[in-house]
Amino acid sequence: FNRGKYKGRIFIAANHSTGNPQPKFADYHAHGFYTDDHGKTFKLSASVNIPGSNESTAALLPGDVLMMNSRNQQGDIRRRIVSLSEDGGTSWHTSYFDYTLPDPVNEGSILTIKHNTIAFCNAADTAKRDNLTLRISKDGGQQWDKAYTVDKSTPGYEGDFTAYSDLVKISDAIIGVLYERNHYREIVFKIVNIR
């Protein structure tokens, strides 16, 4: 957290399983660790209340709101799970499926660009890991105003083409995307101009 009430807090998105393995990964839950003393001690956040939530990433929104974005390991709803916290990631006041963010049960990445503008990247396909898409929201993730295709397979390609990704802010107008490509044979870095 680089501003606001929780300035200096470090939040690490995480996940865990509870008890014995359950059908459709219902034992999986997203949560987080946070520290207010630069890592000397850590506390555990509450778990996201949607079974199967895991492989999460988080971004800070205005008003001290933390957004965590998770995949749905159950795969029954092929959309991203969004959870919001108003207490610095200690608990989640709401969690829901964002139906504007399709996902094939894959990792995604989120990044605060500035103030209320955030970027989200994932394989935006519900059938397979493909169609890597960078989305931009100017209202803290309520709507995704722009979408940029970073990479996708050509017709006839079999298997997963684009998969895990990570984002880096180069400037307010330029985002770097590092991602897996061509059935996990390549790691590619691509620059996307979002103006």
Side-chain angles (χ1 to χ4, degrees), residues 2 5 9 30 32 34 37-38 40 42-43 47 53 61 89 106 108 113 121-122 127 131-132 139 141 177 191:
N2 59 3
K5 182 178 180 180
R9 174 170 289 183
Y34 61 94
D37 57 15
H38 302 286
K40 290 178 184 172
F42 281 88
K43 294 180 181 174
S47 297
S53 54
L61 305 179
N106 192 37
I113 298 173
C121 188
N122 77 323
N131 190 28
L132 191 71
D139 60 7
V177 184
I191 298 290

Side-chain angles (χ1 to χ4, degrees), residues 67 69-70 77-82 96-104 110 118-126 131-148:
M67 172 188 279
N69 186 297
S70 310
I77 300 173
R78 297 215 166 195
R79 298 293 188 263
R80 300 295 295 183
I81 299 168
V82 173
Y96 60 92
F97 287 94
D98 187 335
Y99 281 86
T100 64
L101 298 178
D103 189 77
I110 195 167
I118 58 175
F120 173 74
C121 188
N122 77 323
D125 189 301
T126 56
N131 190 28
L132 191 71
T133 302
L134 175 68
R135 296 178 194 276
I136 305 298
S137 172
K138 294 186 177 179
D139 60 7
Q142 295 177 48
Q143 297 179 1
W144 297 95
D145 309 302
K146 295 183 180 179
Y148 303 87

Side-chain angles (χ1 to χ4, degrees), residues 3 59-67 84 112 115-116 118 139-141:
R3 64 181 186 271
L60 183 60
L61 305 179
D64 295 328
V65 175
L66 182 70
M67 172 188 279
L84 300 173
T112 302
H115 190 60
N116 216 18
I118 58 175
D139 60 7

Side-chain angles (χ1 to χ4, degrees), residues 11-16 29-33 53-57 68 70:
F11 180 88
I12 302 165
N15 58 268
H16 65 280
H29 287 278
H31 70 279
F33 297 97
S53 54
N54 77 342
E55 291 200 0
S56 304
T57 184
M68 189 158 69
S70 310

